[in-house]
Amino acid sequence: MKIWVSQDYQSLSQKACGMIEDEVTRNPAAVLGLATGSTPLQTYQEMVDGYKRRSMDYRHISTINLDEYVGLGEKDPQSYHFFMKKHLFDKININPARTYIPNGLAEDLEDECSRYEQLIDQIGPPDLQILGIGQNGHIGFNEPHTSFKSETHMIELAESTRKANARFFESLENVPKKAITMGIQSILKSKKILLLASGENKAEAIRSLLEDAPSEDMPASALCFHENVTLLVDEEAYKKVEY
């Protein structure tokens, strides 16, 4: 695992954007695996800026998102469909037909999981997968004790995850209890992985990732089994690492 320690969230986001732009410049038809949440938000803003100011071209790329809440449609302001359109897709020249996100309103959720896993193999796997990390070490919505061999599946969200995401909702009660997520094995299919971590609240997760033995108690530790992972972390999130 390669490690880049940035001074702060802004420089981390600029570095992440630069790596994404390098990938798309090398391969204009690249498949990007995308994450949602607060950590990649500035990275997406940097990508929009690159499109406007540096003529970055996203016409031919495809994107595969990690996850979506069960029960939220694409027009719901709290859905990840809505998030991606608001913060990235509607602001760059990407082809909407090449953007893929699980359907949280599917009538048959198990079938949707199978369909999405097949899609990952057909469209991808991602040339570059962007990940964040939860305070409990989750990647995507793969909570602790998720099998490292898991593919796209439906999962019960941990209470800590729901509380962390409650800031995006009117109250904790409004946060969905289930989600569809790419599994850990699904994520590990990616050719390259870029893990982003920012802030003191991620410091213990990063310490555990780098210092403890891989364990399904810590989903992100499965990344140790991938041959091309870059951890891009700011000083606050790296502060507990002792080596």
Side-chain angles (χ1 to χ4, degrees), residues 18 26 49 52 77 79 81 90 94 111 120-121 126 137-139 145 147 153 177 181 189 195-196 198 204 219 229 243:
R26 284 194 299 269
D49 188 66
K52 292 179 177 178
S79 73
H81 278 82
D90 285 350
I94 194 169
D111 183 67
I120 294 168
D121 293 333
H138 72 245
I139 49 176
H145 312 301
S147 170
H153 61 286
K177 295 183 178 181
T181 184
K189 293 177 181 179
L195 177 63
L196 310 178
S198 173
E204 177 56 29
V229 178
Y243 71 89

Side-chain angles (χ1 to χ4, degrees), residues 15-214:
K15 178 67 176 178
C17 176
M19 295 177 71
I20 294 169
E21 290 184 346
D22 287 347
E23 184 69 32
V24 174
T25 299
R26 284 194 299 269
N27 178 11
V31 178
L32 301 180
L34 300 181
T36 49
S38 56
T39 302
L41 187 56
Q42 183 64 39
T43 298
Y44 296 153
Q45 292 174 1
E46 295 290 336
M47 289 174 66
V48 172
D49 188 66
Y51 165 68
K52 292 179 177 178
R53 298 176 182 273
R54 296 188 294 277
S55 300
M56 278 300 302
D57 187 359
Y58 294 102
R59 283 177 298 169
H60 303 298
I61 72 165
S62 299
T63 64
I64 302 174
N65 265 72
L66 286 167
D67 41 33
E68 178 59 284
Y69 289 114
V70 169
L72 298 189
E74 61 183 76
K75 294 184 179 179
D76 190 304
Q78 307 305 332
S79 73
Y80 287 161
H81 278 82
F82 194 95
F83 178 100
M84 292 305 305
K85 285 173 63 66
K86 177 181 179 181
H87 296 293
L88 184 63
F89 296 159
D90 285 350
K91 297 182 177 181
I92 61 176
N93 65 335
I94 194 169
N95 182 347
R98 293 197 184 103
T99 63
Y100 302 93
I101 304 176
N103 178 10
L105 292 180
E107 291 185 10
D108 187 330
L109 293 170
E110 293 298 330
D111 183 67
E112 173 64 9
C113 292
S114 297
R115 183 196 70 83
Y116 203 73
E117 189 66 31
Q118 292 173 6
L119 182 71
I120 294 168
D121 293 333
Q122 292 168 1
I123 305 300
D127 295 291
L128 178 63
Q129 173 68 59
I130 310 302
L131 295 177
I133 184 170
Q135 294 180 45
N136 64 1
H138 72 245
I139 49 176
F141 270 135
N142 294 288
E143 301 284 14
H145 312 301
T146 300
S147 170
F148 283 172
K149 296 181 180 180
S150 62
E151 295 188 329
T152 302
H153 61 286
M154 187 169 61
I155 195 162
E156 295 273 352
L157 299 179
E159 192 68 8
S160 61
T161 299
R162 294 182 67 241
K163 287 180 178 178
N165 289 353
R167 66 190 186 277
F168 301 117
F169 292 79
E170 290 184 3
S171 69
L172 178 59
E173 292 182 355
N174 295 114
V175 182
K177 295 183 178 181
K178 296 181 180 181
I180 295 174
T181 184
M182 286 171 57
I184 293 175
Q185 187 59 45
S186 312
I187 292 169
L188 292 179
K189 293 177 181 179
S190 306
K191 297 174 184 177
K192 289 179 282 189
I193 295 174
L194 177 58
L195 177 63
L196 310 178
S198 173
E200 186 177 8
N201 64 332
K202 302 296 177 69
E204 177 56 29
I206 294 302
R207 184 212 62 75
S208 178
L209 171 66
L210 296 178
E211 296 183 357
D212 296 340

